[in-house]
Amino acid sequence: MTSKSMDKIMALSKRRGFVYQASEIYGGINGFWDYGPLGAQLKKNLREAWWQDMVMNPCGGALGPSGEPVRIVPLDTCIIQHPKVWEASGHIAGFSDPMVDCRETKARYRADHLFVYAPQSGDRQGKPLFAYLPDSTSEQKQKKKAEKAFGEVVSVELVKVAKEEWASVLAPEAEKVGSLTEPRAFNLMFKTYIGATATEDDVAYLRPETAQGMFVQFKNVVDTTRVKVPFGIAQTGKAFRNEVTPRNFTFRSREFEQMEMEFFCHESEAPQWYAFWRDARMAWWKSLGLSGENLQLREHDKDELAHYAKNGAGTSDVEYRFPFTAPGFGELEGIAHRSNFDLRQHQTHSRTNLEYFDASRGELLPNGSHKGEKYLPHVIEPAAGLDRGVLAVLCEAFTEDASRPSPELMRIHPRLAPIKAAIFPLVNKEGMPETSEKLYLELFRRFGRAGFVEHDVKQAIGKRYARMDEAGCPYCFTVDGETASSQSVTVRDRDTGAQERLAIDRVSDWLSEKLGVV
Ligand code: GAP
């Protein structure tokens, strides 16, 4: 892939109102991002595409591994749960990252994110090791210093450097070696207090994932609806992680949104459902215009598996090649077989029986029915990041083409585009604005619920096209000098810049087909 500049993508995102730094007028707040008008609508469109394709019509009506319909029900659970939820899930004891501090510069790093440049010869005795954070200014600076000192250098993960050698590590931006502290486990959960007294007894946590709310309500969903295993529970919502080093634009934020689904099935069927969801989720991201070469499905190695997935069918990540990870990839979504770890933990900690009675299993009785079987269902979890999804869409869409009126354009998939169509009069006179206004109102009434429909009468037509290209609007309709006599307008395709004429009374149906909106 041609390399894209993250700086340019961030500049366009700000300029066109996709993403703003949170609290910018106060200097910003690290790890928090706001979405501008176009970004908010883009994010909503991606969330709704997920909702449509996971909840309302899972996988576009595709059948499950045994030819059964795929059933998913939605849920909306609280950001703050009973603190015991997080004890049961393992987040209080184990949801931490290894953190190191630099005593000299006072900077804080995730130990597993730092690398050092060392002599390629392998002879490190008494020599400094130059630490850096990939993709930061420290990388080139430290490389230069290391090459000056040793000639040929190799890059080594800091966590693979023996503890006795840490005294020789020169931290990024530091002057003297040995300034890094020992790694300490840092819990990523945001703490808060419930009620007015704010004592340690009132501690609660902002959820670090939406998943647990769905496990905790599993029994209620089974008891109050007619779902039968296998089925899924899905929800979207905010999650909070006090990341040690939030970075790479919105990729690693402290407040972000997830789109998660917990699919409950019998243990014997978990491998088939795991393969089903892994492939379905990869196909979904592709359907939204993320190109094949920038997407990959990566199966986790055995030693990479989370504790709850150790004995399961596996875990795979859908990964996207972001400009800051290229030529490598970054995680967009994880699909994991979580076994029945979570239900088991909540059953133990809450002392509530969460077993499911499956009337379709167990010994066959003389009357032809089954005796039934009680079990804790296994779970296949596709867990996607909405903000990372938006970021991947922005990165994929960003295109530079110096020959165009807009040297930078956003090729956002029409289903996700925040502005669905723009209508222009070629000039602001000769009856053209009146005709374009009429067409605008017609299209706004039909498509306004899917995204913005714009009517713009100002500036030269080339500038108006350029504005829409940058905003990712896929189709622009122009009322021109021929419209009155031929009852037709031009439609301009954002991606090719090509224009064709279309009968004015066909425009609405034509757009409906293109957008897939009735
Ligand atoms: N319930 C499982 C779970 O939460 P995860 O891999 O930690 O799994 C799921 O998170 C998705 O949430 C990730 O694939 C990623 O897209 C998104 N995500 C996780 N941490 C994030 C962060 N700090 N900023 C933005 N997105 C994040």
Coordinates of all heavy atoms in Angstrom, one line a residue, residues 119-166:
P119 N 24.1 -2.9 20.1 CA 25.0 -3.3 19.1 C 24.7 -4.6 18.4 O 24.3 -5.6 19.1 CB 26.3 -3.4 19.8 CG 26.1 -3.1 21.2 CD 24.6 -2.9 21.5
Q120 N 24.7 -4.7 17.1 CA 24.4 -5.9 16.4 C 25.4 -7.0 16.7 O 25.0 -8.2 16.7 CB 24.4 -5.7 14.9 CG 23.7 -6.7 14.1 CD 23.7 -6.6 12.6 OE1 24.8 -6.2 12.1 NE2 22.6 -6.8 12.0
S121 N 26.6 -6.6 17.1 CA 27.6 -7.6 17.4 C 27.2 -8.5 18.6 O 27.8 -9.6 18.8 CB 28.9 -6.9 17.8 OG 28.7 -6.1 18.9
G122 N 26.3 -8.0 19.4 CA 25.9 -8.8 20.6 C 26.7 -8.4 21.8 O 26.4 -8.8 22.9
D123 N 27.8 -7.7 21.6 CA 28.7 -7.4 22.8 C 28.1 -6.1 23.4 O 28.4 -5.0 22.9 CB 30.1 -7.1 22.2 CG 31.0 -6.6 23.3 OD1 30.6 -6.7 24.5 OD2 32.1 -6.0 23.0
R124 N 27.4 -6.3 24.5 CA 26.7 -5.1 25.1 C 27.4 -4.7 26.4 O 27.0 -3.8 27.1 CB 25.2 -5.5 25.4 CG 24.6 -6.0 24.2 CD 23.1 -5.9 24.0 NE 22.2 -6.4 25.1 CZ 21.1 -7.0 24.9 NH1 20.7 -7.2 23.6 NH2 20.3 -7.3 25.8
Q125 N 28.5 -5.4 26.8 CA 29.2 -5.2 28.0 C 29.6 -3.7 28.2 O 30.3 -3.2 27.3 CB 30.5 -6.1 28.0 CG 31.1 -6.2 29.4 CD 30.3 -7.0 30.3 OE1 29.7 -8.0 29.9 NE2 30.2 -6.6 31.6
G126 N 29.0 -3.1 29.2 CA 29.4 -1.7 29.5 C 28.9 -0.6 28.5 O 29.3 0.5 28.5
K127 N 28.1 -1.1 27.6 CA 27.6 -0.1 26.5 C 26.2 0.3 26.8 O 25.4 -0.4 27.4 CB 27.6 -0.8 25.2 CG 29.0 -1.3 24.8 CD 29.1 -1.5 23.3 CE 30.6 -1.7 22.9 NZ 30.9 -3.1 22.8
P128 N 25.8 1.6 26.4 CA 24.5 2.0 26.7 C 23.5 1.4 25.7 O 23.9 0.9 24.6 CB 24.6 3.5 26.4 CG 25.7 3.7 25.5 CD 26.7 2.6 25.8
L129 N 22.3 1.2 26.1 CA 21.2 0.7 25.2 C 20.2 1.9 25.0 O 19.7 2.5 26.0 CB 20.5 -0.5 25.9 CG 21.4 -1.7 26.2 CD1 20.7 -2.7 27.0 CD2 21.9 -2.3 24.9
F130 N 19.9 2.2 23.8 CA 19.2 3.4 23.5 C 17.7 3.1 23.4 O 17.3 2.5 22.4 CB 19.7 4.1 22.2 CG 21.1 4.6 22.4 CD1 22.2 3.7 22.1 CD2 21.4 5.8 22.8 CE1 23.5 4.1 22.2 CE2 22.7 6.3 22.9 CZ 23.8 5.4 22.7
A131 N 16.9 3.5 24.4 CA 15.5 3.2 24.4 C 14.6 4.2 23.5 O 14.9 5.4 23.5 CB 14.9 3.2 25.8
Y132 N 13.6 3.6 22.9 CA 12.7 4.5 22.1 C 11.3 3.9 22.0 O 11.1 2.7 22.3 CB 13.3 4.7 20.7 CG 13.2 3.4 19.8 CD1 12.1 3.2 19.0 CD2 14.2 2.4 19.9 CE1 12.0 2.0 18.2 CE2 14.1 1.2 19.1 CZ 13.0 1.0 18.3 OH 12.9 -0.1 17.6
L133 N 10.4 4.8 21.7 CA 9.0 4.4 21.4 C 8.8 4.4 19.9 O 9.0 5.5 19.3 CB 8.1 5.5 22.1 CG 6.8 5.2 22.6 CD1 6.7 3.9 23.5 CD2 6.2 6.4 23.3
P134 N 8.4 3.3 19.3 CA 8.3 3.3 17.9 C 7.3 4.4 17.4 O 6.4 4.7 18.1 CB 7.7 1.9 17.6 CG 8.1 1.1 18.8 CD 8.1 2.0 19.9
D135 N 7.6 4.9 16.2 CA 6.8 6.0 15.6 C 6.7 7.3 16.4 O 5.8 8.0 16.4 CB 5.3 5.5 15.4 CG 5.2 4.3 14.6 OD1 5.9 4.2 13.6 OD2 4.4 3.4 15.0
S136 N 7.7 7.5 17.3 CA 7.8 8.8 18.0 C 9.1 9.4 17.5 O 10.0 8.8 16.9 CB 7.8 8.6 19.5 OG 9.0 8.1 19.9
T137 N 9.3 10.7 17.9 CA 10.5 11.4 17.5 C 11.8 10.7 18.1 O 12.9 10.8 17.6 CB 10.5 12.8 18.0 OG1 10.1 12.8 19.4 CG2 9.5 13.7 17.2
S138 N 11.6 10.0 19.2 CA 12.7 9.3 19.9 C 13.3 8.2 19.0 O 14.5 7.9 19.1 CB 12.3 8.8 21.3 OG 11.4 7.8 21.1
E139 N 12.5 7.7 18.1 CA 13.0 6.5 17.4 C 14.2 6.9 16.5 O 15.3 6.2 16.6 CB 11.9 5.9 16.5 CG 12.4 4.7 15.7 CD 11.2 3.9 15.1 OE1 10.1 4.3 15.2 OE2 11.5 2.9 14.4
Q140 N 14.1 7.9 15.7 CA 15.2 8.3 14.8 C 16.4 8.9 15.6 O 17.5 8.5 15.3 CB 14.7 9.4 13.8 CG 14.0 8.8 12.6 CD 14.6 7.5 12.0 OE1 15.9 7.5 11.8 NE2 13.9 6.4 11.9
K141 N 16.1 9.7 16.6 CA 17.1 10.3 17.5 C 18.0 9.2 18.1 O 19.2 9.2 18.0 CB 16.5 11.1 18.6 CG 16.3 12.6 18.3 CD 16.2 13.3 19.6 CE 15.0 14.2 19.6 NZ 14.6 14.7 20.9
Q142 N 17.3 8.2 18.7 CA 18.1 7.2 19.4 C 18.8 6.3 18.4 O 19.9 5.8 18.7 CB 17.1 6.3 20.3 CG 16.5 7.1 21.4 CD 17.4 7.5 22.5 OE1 18.3 8.3 22.3 NE2 17.2 6.9 23.7
K143 N 18.2 6.1 17.3 CA 18.9 5.2 16.3 C 20.2 5.9 15.8 O 21.3 5.2 15.7 CB 18.0 5.0 15.1 CG 18.5 3.9 14.1 CD 17.5 3.5 13.1 CE 18.0 2.3 12.3 NZ 17.4 2.2 11.0
K144 N 20.2 7.2 15.6 CA 21.4 7.9 15.1 C 22.5 7.8 16.2 O 23.6 7.5 15.9 CB 21.0 9.4 15.0 CG 20.9 9.8 13.6 CD 20.9 11.4 13.5 CE 20.3 11.8 12.2 NZ 19.9 13.2 12.3
K145 N 22.1 8.0 17.5 CA 23.1 7.9 18.6 C 23.7 6.5 18.6 O 24.9 6.3 18.8 CB 22.4 8.2 19.9 CG 22.1 9.7 20.1 CD 21.7 9.9 21.6 CE 20.8 11.0 21.8 NZ 20.1 11.0 23.0
A146 N 22.8 5.5 18.5 CA 23.2 4.1 18.6 C 24.2 3.8 17.4 O 25.2 3.1 17.6 CB 22.0 3.2 18.6
E147 N 23.8 4.2 16.2 CA 24.6 3.9 15.1 C 26.0 4.6 15.2 O 27.0 4.0 14.8 CB 23.9 4.3 13.8 CG 22.8 3.3 13.4 CD 22.0 3.7 12.3 OE1 21.9 4.9 11.9 OE2 21.3 2.9 11.7
K148 N 26.0 5.8 15.8 CA 27.3 6.5 16.0 C 28.1 5.7 16.9 O 29.3 5.6 16.7 CB 27.0 7.9 16.5 CG 28.1 8.9 16.3 CD 27.7 10.3 16.6 CE 28.9 11.1 16.8 NZ 28.7 12.3 17.6
A149 N 27.5 5.2 18.0 CA 28.3 4.5 19.0 C 28.7 3.1 18.6 O 29.8 2.6 18.9 CB 27.4 4.4 20.3
F150 N 27.8 2.4 17.8 CA 28.1 0.9 17.6 C 28.2 0.6 16.1 O 28.5 -0.6 15.7 CB 27.0 0.0 18.1 CG 26.5 0.4 19.4 CD1 25.1 0.5 19.6 CD2 27.3 0.6 20.5 CE1 24.6 0.8 20.9 CE2 26.8 0.9 21.8 CZ 25.4 1.0 21.9
G151 N 27.9 1.5 15.2 CA 27.8 1.1 13.7 C 26.5 0.4 13.5 O 25.5 0.9 13.7
E152 N 26.6 -1.0 13.2 CA 25.4 -1.7 13.0 C 24.6 -1.9 14.3 O 25.2 -2.3 15.3 CB 25.7 -3.1 12.4 CG 26.4 -3.1 11.0 CD 25.4 -2.7 9.9 OE1 24.4 -3.4 9.8 OE2 25.6 -1.7 9.2
V153 N 23.2 -1.7 14.2 CA 22.4 -1.9 15.4 C 21.3 -2.8 15.2 O 20.9 -3.1 14.1 CB 21.9 -0.5 15.9 CG1 23.0 0.4 16.3 CG2 21.0 0.1 14.9
V154 N 20.8 -3.4 16.3 CA 19.6 -4.2 16.3 C 18.6 -3.6 17.2 O 19.0 -3.0 18.2 CB 19.8 -5.7 16.6 CG1 20.4 -6.5 15.5 CG2 20.5 -5.8 17.9
S155 N 17.3 -3.9 17.0 CA 16.3 -3.4 17.9 C 15.8 -4.6 18.7 O 15.5 -5.6 18.2 CB 15.1 -2.8 17.0 OG 14.1 -2.5 17.8
V156 N 15.7 -4.3 20.0 CA 15.3 -5.4 21.0 C 14.1 -4.8 21.9 O 14.2 -3.7 22.3 CB 16.5 -5.8 21.9 CG1 16.1 -6.9 22.8 CG2 17.7 -6.1 21.1
E157 N 13.1 -5.7 22.2 CA 12.1 -5.2 23.1 C 12.7 -5.0 24.5 O 13.4 -5.9 24.9 CB 11.0 -6.3 23.2 CG 10.1 -6.4 22.0 CD 9.2 -7.6 22.1 OE1 8.4 -7.6 23.1 OE2 9.3 -8.5 21.3
L158 N 12.3 -3.9 25.1 CA 12.8 -3.6 26.4 C 12.6 -4.8 27.4 O 13.4 -5.1 28.2 CB 12.2 -2.3 27.0 CG 12.7 -1.9 28.4 CD1 14.2 -1.5 28.4 CD2 11.8 -0.8 29.0
V159 N 11.4 -5.4 27.3 CA 11.0 -6.4 28.3 C 11.9 -7.7 28.1 O 11.9 -8.5 29.0 CB 9.5 -6.8 28.2 CG1 8.7 -5.7 28.8 CG2 9.1 -7.1 26.8
K160 N 12.6 -7.7 27.0 CA 13.5 -8.9 26.8 C 14.9 -8.6 27.2 O 15.8 -9.4 27.1 CB 13.5 -9.3 25.3 CG 12.1 -9.7 24.8 CD 12.1 -10.8 23.8 CE 10.7 -11.4 23.6 NZ 10.2 -11.3 22.3
V161 N 15.2 -7.3 27.7 CA 16.5 -7.0 28.2 C 16.6 -7.4 29.6 O 15.7 -7.1 30.4 CB 16.7 -5.4 28.0 CG1 18.0 -5.0 28.7 CG2 16.7 -5.0 26.6
A162 N 17.7 -8.1 30.0 CA 17.8 -8.6 31.4 C 17.8 -7.5 32.4 O 18.3 -6.4 32.1 CB 19.1 -9.5 31.5
K163 N 17.2 -7.7 33.5 CA 17.1 -6.7 34.6 C 18.4 -6.1 34.9 O 18.5 -4.9 35.1 CB 16.4 -7.3 35.8 CG 14.9 -7.5 35.7 CD 14.1 -6.2 35.7 CE 12.8 -6.2 35.1 NZ 12.4 -7.0 34.0
E164 N 19.5 -6.9 34.9 CA 20.8 -6.4 35.3 C 21.3 -5.3 34.3 O 22.2 -4.5 34.6 CB 21.9 -7.5 35.3 CG 21.5 -8.7 36.1 CD 20.7 -9.7 35.3 OE1 21.2 -10.2 34.3 OE2 19.5 -9.8 35.7
E165 N 20.7 -5.4 33.1 CA 21.2 -4.4 32.0 C 20.4 -3.1 32.0 O 20.8 -2.2 31.3 CB 21.1 -5.1 30.7 CG 22.1 -6.1 30.4 CD 22.0 -6.6 28.9 OE1 21.1 -7.4 28.6 OE2 22.8 -6.1 28.1
W166 N 19.4 -3.0 32.8 CA 18.5 -1.8 32.8 C 19.3 -0.6 33.2 O 18.9 0.5 32.8 CB 17.3 -2.0 33.7 CG 16.2 -2.8 32.9 CD1 16.4 -3.9 32.2 CD2 14.8 -2.4 32.8 NE1 15.2 -4.3 31.7 CE2 14.2 -3.4 32.0 CE3 14.0 -1.4 33.3 CZ2 12.8 -3.3 31.7 CZ3 12.7 -1.3 33.0 CH2 12.1 -2.3 32.2

